[in-house]
């Protein structure tokens, strides 16, 4: 018997904290059901288990072809599919995305999704290749419900023209904001993630003056300096969450622009990772319902949410343990 010992390896999160990349693919799929045939359903779930638990192998296969591409992939699992996996335990806050009927005719819609693959790299071809291989392995066990190719736009600007991502937490603050800790020990190192796909009306947005746009976002456009809010809270003000003890709660975002000018499609794919799902929910309620009620985020007058889905991103250890 080998009597050598190792210190227990610390829990390893997925690549939640991967640096902002120049390319990304956001792939959302549902897992097909074989309702009338439970044997087929079990086979479908087994296929998915095999693919997601071994995602690291696929990332290495594609990523090793150019290590400078820094390819990474986070797998998120939706609430309903977690139930289908039949695990004994469940992340304590995992829930479906609840639609928020907001003010001004704006709604945060809820749309289906069992699995999220958040693929990032410095090379779009690596993102493409990994997505292709994942889908080939999943075969007819899944249906693609959304597939968005994001790109980094000049100095990390969104298509509204503002630098996006500045106030993201880094280092230890990132872990505190985005990763589950001792409060849910079985799922420590995991993260909840919410995705929403927004389509912009750039013509209407472009008809505003720069000062009007800056008041909506809460930062200057050219040099990205934070502004004080006026009477009505800006996007920045609405998304600053301070609890009753004066503690500020943050999330980790990696929004990406996407678009097809020929189809007049211009968008922002919002992705937010959080240790506590309530923080994102609170942000969304302040954006859509307003604070005070009715004074919603004016970004929404120019941006329509067309998807909205919540997932749990387990640590690598939990993900690997899902192998059939
Ligand atoms: C149309 C979609 C969106 C666009 C174009 C957008 C754009 C921006 C921009 C330009 C900033 C300022 C720079 C920065 O700190 O990143 C910002 C800040 C922020 N956004 Fe968004 N955002 C969008 C949706 C959302 C959503 C849905 C949430 C949350 C559920 C959110 C949460 C935040 C937070 C937390 C900040 C930082 C606030 C601060 O502490 O200063 N954003 N966003």
């Amino acid at each position: 018997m080998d009597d050598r010992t190792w210190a227990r390896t610390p829990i390893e999160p997925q690549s939640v904290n991967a640096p902002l990349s120049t390319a990304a693919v956001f792939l959302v799929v549902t897992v097909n059901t074989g309702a009338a045939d439970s044997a087929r359903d079990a086979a479908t779930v087994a296929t998915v288990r095999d693919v997601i638990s071994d995602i690291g192998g696929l990332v290495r296969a594609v990523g090793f072809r150019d290590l400078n591409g820094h390819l990474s992939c986070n797998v998120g699992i939706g609430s309903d599919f977690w139930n289908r996996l039949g695990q004994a335990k469940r992340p304590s806050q995992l829930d479906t995305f609840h639609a928020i009927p907001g003010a001004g005719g704006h709604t945060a819609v809820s749309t289906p999704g069992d699995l999220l693959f958040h693929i990032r790299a410095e090379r779009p071809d690596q993102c493409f290749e990994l997505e292709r291989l994942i889908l080939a392995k999943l075969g007819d066990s899944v249906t693609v419900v959304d597939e968005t190719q994001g790109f980094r736009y000049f100095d990390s600007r969104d298509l509204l023209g503002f630098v996006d991502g500045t106030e993201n937490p880094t280092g230890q603050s990132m872990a505190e904001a985005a990763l589950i800790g001792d409060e849910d020990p079985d799922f420590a190192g995991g993260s909840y993630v919410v995705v929403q796909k927004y389509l912009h009306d750039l013509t209407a947005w472009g008809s505003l003056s720069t000062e009007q746009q800056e008041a909506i976002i809460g930062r200057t456009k050219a040099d990205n300096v934070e502004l004080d809010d006026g009477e009505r809270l800006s996007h920045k003000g609405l998304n600053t969450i301070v609890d009753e003890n004066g503690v500020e709660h943050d999330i980790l975002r990696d929004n990406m622009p996407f678009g097809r000018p020929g189809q007049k499609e211009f968008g922002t794919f919002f992705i937010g990772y959080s240790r506590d799902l309530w923080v994102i929910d609170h942000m969304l309620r302040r954006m859509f319902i307003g604070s005070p009620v009715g004074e919603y985020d004016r970004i929404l007058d120019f941006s329509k949410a067309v998807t909205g889905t919540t997932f749990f991103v387990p640590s690598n250890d939990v993900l690997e343990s899902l192998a059939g």
Side-chain angles (χ1 to χ4, degrees):
M1 197 181 102
D2 191 338
D3 57 2
R4 292 174 299 174
T5 56
W6 284 99
R8 196 181 175 287
T9 323
I11 291 164
E12 187 185 277
Q14 294 190 56
S15 305
V16 172
N17 67 343
L20 301 187
S21 58
T22 50
V25 166
F26 304 90
L27 175 67
V28 176
V29 304
T30 50
V31 178
N32 297 334
T33 46
D37 177 351
S38 63
R40 194 185 311 155
D41 196 57
T44 303
V45 172
T47 302
V48 171
R49 279 179 178 276
D50 284 347
V51 176
I52 63 177
S53 61
D54 194 28
I55 196 78
L58 280 184
V59 172
R60 283 190 296 279
V62 180
F64 196 70
R65 295 168 70 176
D66 179 3
L67 291 173
N68 292 326
H70 301 295
L71 178 69
S72 68
C73 176
N74 291 336
V75 179
I77 302 172
S79 176
D80 293 345
F81 188 63
W82 188 273
N83 294 342
R84 272 173 78 193
L85 283 172
Q87 297 297 107
K89 293 185 174 149
R90 191 183 158 77
S92 63
Q93 299 179 33
L94 182 56
D95 197 359
T96 53
F97 184 97
H98 295 282
I100 304 172
H106 304 302
T107 298
V109 293
S110 169
T111 54
D114 287 328
L115 298 172
L116 165 74
F117 297 91
H118 179 199
I119 304 173
R120 289 181 275 191
E122 292 307 301
R123 298 176 49 155
D125 57 351
Q126 280 191 324
C127 294
F128 171 91
E129 184 66 358
L130 182 60
E131 180 191 2
R132 186 182 74 77
L133 292 177
I134 290 170
L135 285 173
K137 287 225 172 225
L138 288 169
D140 59 8
S141 51
V142 299
T143 302
V144 174
V145 290
D146 188 48
E147 175 188 38
T148 302
Q149 279 99 21
F151 55 88
R152 196 62 61 195
Y153 189 51
F154 297 103
D155 33 330
S156 289
R157 290 179 189 265
D158 52 43
L159 295 186
L160 302 178
F162 284 77
V163 176
D164 193 350
T166 313
E167 292 296 337
N168 257 330
T170 53
Q172 185 57 25
S173 319
M174 184 290 299
E176 276 168 26
L179 299 177
I180 295 166
D182 294 346
E183 67 277 14
D184 192 0
D186 292 321
F187 295 103
S191 187
Y192 298 99
V193 64
V194 170
V195 295
Q196 280 184 306
K197 186 170 177 171
Y198 285 90
L199 296 177
H200 300 303
D201 181 346
L202 285 193
T203 309
W205 178 252
S207 70
L208 301 184
S209 67
T210 300
E211 290 71 24
Q212 287 171 318
Q213 294 180 351
E214 290 176 334
I216 291 174
I217 301 291
R219 304 186 80 92
T220 59
K221 193 169 184 179
D223 48 15
N224 186 32
V225 174
E226 197 173 339
L227 291 169
D228 288 336
D229 280 351
E231 295 243 312
R232 187 158 170 174
L233 291 180
S234 66
H235 179 69
K236 171 210 69 184
L238 288 165
N239 282 302
T240 302
I241 307 295
V242 181
D243 69 19
E244 63 276 13
N245 300 316
V247 178
E248 193 168 330
H249 294 268
D250 218 337
I251 62 172
L252 181 67
R253 295 165 288 131
D254 193 359
N255 295 356
M256 280 292 223
F258 65 89
R260 290 178 298 171
Q263 308 296 315
K264 296 192 170 39
E265 181 190 84
F266 304 99
T268 296
F269 198 96
F270 165 80
I271 183 161
Y273 289 90
S274 187
R275 177 180 191 165
D276 290 303
L277 210 41
W278 70 262
V279 178
I280 301 190
D281 188 59
H282 206 60
M283 289 175 174
L284 287 171
R285 286 180 183 282
R286 283 166 62 91
M287 283 178 66
F288 281 80
I289 296 169
S291 178
V293 172
E295 298 200 0
Y296 61 85
D297 193 329
R298 285 159 298 165
I299 220 174
L300 301 176
D301 289 335
F302 310 90
S303 317
K304 183 179 167 62
V306 294
T307 71
T309 321
T310 299
F311 302 91
F312 173 64
V313 174
S315 66
N316 276 331
D317 315 58
V318 171
L319 190 64
E320 283 162 21
S321 76
L322 296 178

